[in-house]
Amino acid sequence: MALFHRAIVRMLPAVPKRVVRRFASRYIAGPELADAVRVVSEANARGRLATIDVLGEESATAAEATEMANEYLEVLAAIEREGLDAYASAKPTAFGLRVGYDLCREQIERVVRRAAEQDTFVRIEMEDATTTDDTLALYRELRGAGRENIGAVLQASLRRTHGDVEALADLRPNIRLVKGIYIESPEIQLKDDEAVRTCFVEVLDALLAAGSFVAIATHDDRLVDRSLARIAARKVGRDRYEFQLLLGVKPEIGDRLAAAGHRVRLYVPYGSRWYEYSLRRLQENPQLAGYVAGDTFRRLAPGHSARSA
Ligand code: FDA
């Protein structure tokens, strides 16, 4: 089954976009900011916090990067106008990191400055390993410039992460801790699931010891339980950590944690550039093979019309 799943994952880019879209709709609020506002309002009503992500990565020009920052200003305006309990999450390459570091810094700073005016927070996400140094440098520079309303992301699967925690310790950074979605070479990335879990818990422990706020972002039940055990052992206050989950992925974890009184934040992406994000989510979904096989069967079945494909 694992082999079959891997084969399906490899052929996913060949699956028609409309099919991918249908399978992936649970992971995305919708194409418009109004969709994100609706989903976040519903989440807030159920006691969940949220973070809003505008879909799209790798801006190729300064104009695209500026447009993306403008969209984030709209997100912040909506958060304030609608009184949402939410902040923004943003990818450096969407703000133009591939075009130039200074451009990216300028665009992120526009957003962070506006967020500070309304007492909102911005999480700078972590992308593939070619961006790690610049992203952490950006974080340090913005903090050095007095921006306190920003956080970073660290990836437990990267071998460098222990060192990054040490290097950032003087800032007492607000960190979202994840396993890491990007596939890197074995020289720089742990490949064994259990080794990644061990590193995740060690990094969590080091961050808590350094006084950081940690957003524990995982759908891995074992990791959730091990994190809870570390938090209990350290007697960490509930204002020093939270759990984060992606929209549409294992919501029962959020229910369990919220029922036990832990803060739970939902990651809510929206936008018209949904395809890459959807592929990543589907590739992680253990039911993917079943979905694709079922859809293919339906399309091949007698009586199927092209319109319903
Ligand atoms: P794992 O992949 O082992 O999944 C645990 C369980 O959840 C498994 O049973 C799995 O099948 C199930 N599951 C996972 N995804 C599913 C899906 N799509 N549908 C159904 N079931 C699914 N990464 C990064 O590199 N940079 C970043 O900035 C972020 N940001 C981020 C924010 C938030 C809020 C979260 C939750 C995650 C990220 N990530 C990320 C992604 C992260 O690095 C990681 O790839 C995913 O969270 C999957 O890893 P898990 O820890 O959930 O474990």
Side-chain angles (χ1 to χ4, degrees), residues 45-295:
R46 287 184 298 112
R48 305 292 188 274
L49 310 167
T51 183
I52 301 179
D53 168 59
V54 182
L55 290 170
E57 32 212 281
E58 302 268 329
S59 288
T61 62
E64 273 178 35
T66 308
E67 200 183 306
M68 183 54 101
N70 290 344
E71 180 79 28
Y72 270 96
L73 297 180
E74 296 291 323
V75 169
L76 293 174
I79 288 174
E80 192 173 40
R81 188 179 61 242
E82 308 288 336
L84 301 177
D85 206 337
Y87 63 67
S89 284
K91 289 187 175 47
T93 64
F95 285 133
L97 185 60
R98 300 276 188 217
V99 186
Y101 181 90
D102 290 341
L103 168 71
C104 178
R105 184 196 152 143
E106 194 185 310
Q107 297 307 325
I108 291 193
E109 201 159 15
R110 279 174 67 210
V111 174
V112 171
R113 207 182 307 127
R114 177 72 189 87
E117 285 163 13
Q118 63 182 70
D119 207 15
T120 305
F121 186 83
V122 179
R123 172 83 53 196
I124 303 172
E125 306 206 314
M126 190 57 81
E127 299 173 88
D128 72 59
T130 62
T131 68
T132 312
D133 284 338
D134 279 348
T135 302
L136 295 180
L138 203 59
Y139 176 73
R140 177 169 280 284
E141 254 189 72
L142 289 171
R143 285 290 307 277
R147 301 286 167 212
E148 295 294 326
N149 60 323
I150 52 171
V153 176
L154 289 177
Q155 297 159 326
S157 62
L158 291 194
R159 296 181 191 276
R160 61 176 283 165
T161 295
H162 281 293
D164 289 333
V165 172
E166 269 178 46
L168 291 170
D170 61 306
L171 297 175
R172 282 222 293 153
N174 181 318
I175 295 291
R176 175 196 292 158
L177 181 57
V178 300
K179 286 184 180 174
I181 180 70
Y182 302 91
I183 298 169
E184 312 288 356
S185 72
E187 286 76 44
I188 63 166
Q189 189 176 47
L190 302 167
K191 295 295 176 189
D192 176 69
D193 287 349
E194 198 45 38
V196 174
R197 284 193 193 97
T198 301
C199 185
F200 192 106
V201 177
E202 286 170 0
V203 170
L204 170 64
D205 219 33
L207 288 167
L208 293 174
S212 279
F213 180 96
V214 191
I216 302 160
T218 180
H219 317 97
D220 182 336
D221 293 286
R222 267 179 285 182
L223 215 35
V224 168
D225 289 341
R226 288 183 204 175
S227 300
L228 286 171
R230 288 316 304 151
I231 285 164
R234 285 195 165 274
K235 300 189 170 50
V236 179
R238 294 201 164 169
D239 57 339
R240 295 263 322 282
Y241 69 91
E242 68 185 24
F243 286 87
Q244 294 193 351
L245 300 168
L246 300 173
L247 179 68
V249 181
K250 295 181 72 170
E252 65 278 10
I253 294 184
D255 296 341
R256 163 164 81 96
L257 290 166
H262 304 285
R263 281 157 59 105
V264 178
R265 190 177 298 273
L266 202 58
Y267 182 99
V268 178
Y270 81 92
S272 52
R273 293 196 275 165
W274 50 272
Y275 184 66
E276 285 80 9
Y277 181 85
S278 298
L279 280 192
R280 289 204 293 272
R281 296 288 77 81
L282 284 173
Q283 285 165 349
E284 287 176 328
N285 186 327
Q287 271 105 48
L288 171 67
Y291 286 171
V292 174
D295 184 78

